[in-house]
Amino acid sequence: MEDLLRLKERVEIALELGESYYREFKSALEGPPNAKTPRELKEIFADIAKTLVAFANADGGELFVGIEDNNTVSGIPFSDEKIEAILNATENYVMKDTPLPIKRKNIIEYQGKKVVYYSVDKGSKFIHQTSKGECFQRKDRESMPTSVDSIRIEREEIASREYDRQFEDLAIVTDLDLPLVTDIAQEITKIKISPEKFLQLMELAEFDGDRLRLRKAALLLFAKNPNKWHPRSRVRILKINGIEEKPAPDYNVTEIADVDGNIFKLIQESWESLRPALSETRYSEDGLFKTQIIYPENAVREALINAITHRDYSIEGRGIEIRIFNDRLEVLSPGKLLSKYTIEDLKELKGAHETRNTYLARVLREYGYIRELGEGIRRMFELMKSNELVAPEISSPNKSFIVILRYKFIYTKEEKLWLAHFEGLQLSREQKTVVKLGINGRLISPKEIFENVGIVDTDVYRELINSLQKLGILVSKVPKSEAQKIAREKGKQTKSIARFQIILPNLEKKKDDIKELKIITVPEDTSDYAKIFINNVDYSTTEEELEALFSQFGEISDVHISRDRYTGKPRGFAVLEFESKDSLEKVLKYDQAIILNNRKLYLRRFIE
């Protein structure tokens, strides 16, 4: 009983985490800050029904009535009889034929104030509606009106949708890697919490009065021996010598890795095995071995994590397979596309705000492995496009989902003519991307290089800049000190100031002369960029406010508040980039709360 997550602790943890896709706060008050009055009860009832219906039609969630959007507890200023009516709004204001899958509803006494708490599961039997026949679904942090037909669930999907939420009665807590659970719990909640309480908080376990019952999701995520619970929790990586597989005696397939384990192990070890296979080393004309990346690393990583997160785990006879051909990379995961989506929806980047694996996705999203639901596919398309490669190919044949990334460039006629000047240098894809940015002598900023090449690691950036300098085709037209001065005058980040220029190669010069020219005219770029992830950002916050707040720790190169691509609305988090890693360490070691617009900001080192 000691580890049963208490109701007051749920409030405290919710206040730490803030609102999210799975969590919403509703006030029982209205009016200006210093003169608030009680809201009409009917409005509160309608809000409760709308929010819980939206949660049930998506991936479940929890609602707190009596907490403000700024994470302060204001309570419910009504009599006990009216508060009881608020508690029962789940029956009286929701359509009787589509009852909500309520897990908990309680009146909580917190610091002398009353808060009404609801927890609702993801619905699988009904498409839930309010008593007025309205249908809503949770998308990002909003409850959006939705047609019943758009969320109708096909019967054959029920088994795959329910797999990760099922309880495994033979499993006990010691079947889990408890140190891993503790580490993940600390990273997500930012507070000290026992593994048992964390599992309950994330709905991965429930206390039935006698013992803690574990869902399959808990075992998939944290099991010490996942093969005991799922025979194909694995990722197999294969290299094919050619553009198609051949049978014996011409068999041309080599196994790079066969990784099994819990999901956190799968993501880490699969990526470690896959990443080296994304580049190749070639012997160049200048007598050197040069390594070039064939596919954008971040696009491949998105495809891998997307497959692990959204595969159909009810198909226990197959695992995820990644095949690397000479001209393409294929990621195959078991389970067809959910019926409410079409391949065209994904290609048009409409997003998919629903997953068959509710509990898995929730943990991975809160941890930071995935962003908003549906962002993985968008991210892949954007990264391939920014690297001048053809769009990913997506298909869903034979109860599987396949993503294909091809090593094929897209250039305009003008860009082809420009790049033709550099053909004799045998440039890598990354080098060509930078050269294209500098078409006809146009100045280029470091920020453009980072974004268009898809670079996260600053060491990779330096290597790329230095390689172009050694080829004699990139020169620094604006010294970094001058760029910093311009940035201050214009109120911009240094990284966004155009500094570099691409010059046409003189292929007739001797290589030694070219190398000497580079050393004299082009100083090495010694930038030391470092990024930090900022969560719980108030929707009204601007990039300028974040820059002003964090400039106390050091010079800032870039600030970006994440916004929905289509609505333009902020998502509550941002990425801030310092000029120096020393500044990053200062802010991470800062032991006081950092508050902006009445919200406590939560910080962690940014890892792509």
Side-chain angles (χ1 to χ4, degrees), residues 198-331:
F198 172 73
L199 292 169
Q200 292 174 80
L201 172 67
M202 303 306 293
E203 311 294 351
L204 298 174
E206 286 191 8
F207 190 77
D208 66 2
D210 295 316
R211 67 188 183 96
L212 201 63
R213 300 180 66 207
L214 299 179
R215 296 187 191 273
K216 288 182 180 292
L219 295 161
L220 289 170
L221 287 162
F222 301 114
K224 287 187 288 191
N225 180 18
N227 285 335
K228 180 179 178 181
W229 314 104
H230 194 291
R232 289 293 182 273
S233 178
R234 64 197 319 119
V235 175
R236 192 177 182 213
I237 305 172
L238 304 171
K239 174 69 175 177
I240 294 87
N241 184 20
I243 60 173
E244 62 180 14
E245 293 185 40
K246 296 179 181 179
D250 301 317
Y251 191 63
N252 60 340
V253 180
T254 303
E255 183 175 271
I256 295 176
D258 188 0
V259 181
D260 65 353
N262 61 52
I263 284 176
F264 281 94
K265 180 181 177 183
L266 276 187
I267 292 175
Q268 180 178 347
E269 296 191 4
S270 297
W271 179 240
E272 289 174 355
S273 299
L274 179 58
R275 190 178 186 186
L278 302 181
S279 61
E280 62 180 21
T281 302
R282 295 178 177 175
Y283 190 71
S284 64
E285 289 183 354
D286 55 5
L288 299 175
F289 285 100
K290 293 186 177 181
T291 299
Q292 66 178 43
I293 298 173
I294 305 173
Y295 303 97
E297 288 188 356
N298 292 338
V300 178
R301 194 166 187 270
E302 289 285 356
L304 171 66
I305 294 177
N306 191 73
I308 293 172
T309 304
H310 303 299
R311 65 156 286 186
D312 185 349
Y313 284 93
S314 70
I315 300 176
E316 296 186 337
R318 295 163 56 196
I320 295 167
E321 291 188 358
I322 300 175
R323 289 179 168 81
I324 306 171
F325 295 85
N326 287 2
D327 65 339
R328 67 192 185 279
L329 181 146
E330 297 183 356
V331 180

Side-chain angles (χ1 to χ4, degrees), residues 161-224:
R161 287 174 176 267
E162 292 186 343
Y163 184 87
D164 76 329
R165 73 180 65 189
Q166 293 174 355
F167 288 98
E168 182 56 70
D169 290 329
L170 298 178
I172 57 177
V173 173
T174 53
D175 287 314
L176 305 181
D177 183 342
L178 294 180
L180 174 63
V181 178
T182 300
D183 290 344
I184 301 302
Q186 175 68 32
E187 182 66 26
I188 289 177
T189 65
K190 306 301 181 187
I191 61 175
K192 188 174 182 180
I193 183 173
S194 72
E196 291 81 1
K197 287 181 179 178
F198 172 73
L199 292 169
Q200 292 174 80
L201 172 67
M202 303 306 293
E203 311 294 351
L204 298 174
E206 286 191 8
F207 190 77
D208 66 2
D210 295 316
R211 67 188 183 96
L212 201 63
R213 300 180 66 207
L214 299 179
R215 296 187 191 273
K216 288 182 180 292
L219 295 161
L220 289 170
L221 287 162
F222 301 114
K224 287 187 288 191

Side-chain angles (χ1 to χ4, degrees), residues 438-450:
I439 188 169
N440 299 325
R442 175 184 174 273
L443 290 185
I444 316 165
S445 70
K447 183 176 181 180
E448 286 182 287
I449 296 173
F450 269 85

